Amino acid sequence: MTQAHDIYQDFLDTASVALWNRDYITVAAMLSYPHLIRLPETDRIIQNAAEQQLDAQAFRESLKGLGATAYHRLCRDAQFDPDGPGRITGAHTTYIMRGGSYLTDPYECRMSLMRQSDGRWLADAINVSVRKSGMAYYHPDNIRARTGRPK
């Protein structure tokens, strides 16, 4: 697989299936740390895999609570960084479904992947365009830990 689009879509498929199947260890292993998530409301830096596992669990449970029956992400565009083939930047659309209907409006994301010395691609940052969707992107314990609020 040498095309940036193919690598990016394979990454999306693997991460999406792992999230849907509640394999939070695999999801967390697909990111580099610290990992940056940019949402319209705020930026979030995930410091480590344990924190990401909790956030992935919170997101998946929010999908279940909203009645989601499917979660798909499709690459729209991906290219190798012109300064080096060890980085891919791309854009994808996220589809959250309930039966044959959209549960939320499809939303756009941009993500960057970095090739590791062992050949794996890890995401180092993602920009998510969705606002106030009703989905939980963070586990409450991670927000408390970040703000110093008691549990």
Side-chain angles (χ1 to χ4, degrees):
M1 208 182 331
T2 57
Q3 299 298 317
H5 182 279
D6 295 336
I7 294 167
Y8 192 95
Q9 185 63 57
D10 184 59
F11 183 93
L12 292 172
D13 292 345
T14 302
S16 296
V17 167
L19 176 73
W20 193 256
N21 291 333
R22 296 177 171 84
D23 182 357
Y24 308 125
I25 292 171
T26 296
V27 173
M30 296 181 74
L31 308 182
S32 65
Y33 300 96
H35 181 81
L36 175 64
I37 298 177
R38 292 187 178 274
L39 292 161
E41 296 84 13
T42 188
D43 289 352
R44 166 95 161 93
I45 297 175
I46 299 172
Q47 297 296 336
N48 56 54
E51 199 174 305
Q52 174 55 36
Q53 288 173 33
L54 288 175
D55 284 354
Q57 179 182 8
F59 181 62
R60 177 62 179 93
E61 292 306 312
S62 74
L63 293 176
K64 177 183 174 188
L66 291 170
T69 58
Y71 176 76
H72 302 288
R73 298 187 295 173
L74 297 177
C75 178
R76 289 191 354 256
D77 171 62
Q79 60 277 331
F80 289 104
D81 189 312
D83 293 331
R87 182 180 187 84
I88 294 174
T89 57
H92 62 276
T93 304
T94 300
Y95 300 90
I96 300 172
M97 309 294 292
R98 179 174 19 206
S101 301
Y102 296 132
L103 181 61
T104 64
D105 289 336
Y107 58 92
E108 305 303 313
C109 301
R110 295 201 58 77
M111 183 170 61
S112 56
L113 305 176
M114 298 288 294
R115 184 175 21 222
Q116 307 304 295
S117 59
D118 62 6
R120 293 177 306 133
W121 290 89
L122 300 181
D124 66 344
I126 187 167
N127 293 355
V128 181
S129 66
V130 70
R131 299 182 75 80
K132 310 237 186 254
S133 63
M135 295 177 285
Y137 286 96
Y138 313 127
H139 189 276
D141 287 349
N142 289 342
I143 293 173
R144 286 187 199 102
R146 195 175 67 151
T147 62
R149 286 185 282 167
K151 292 183 181 181

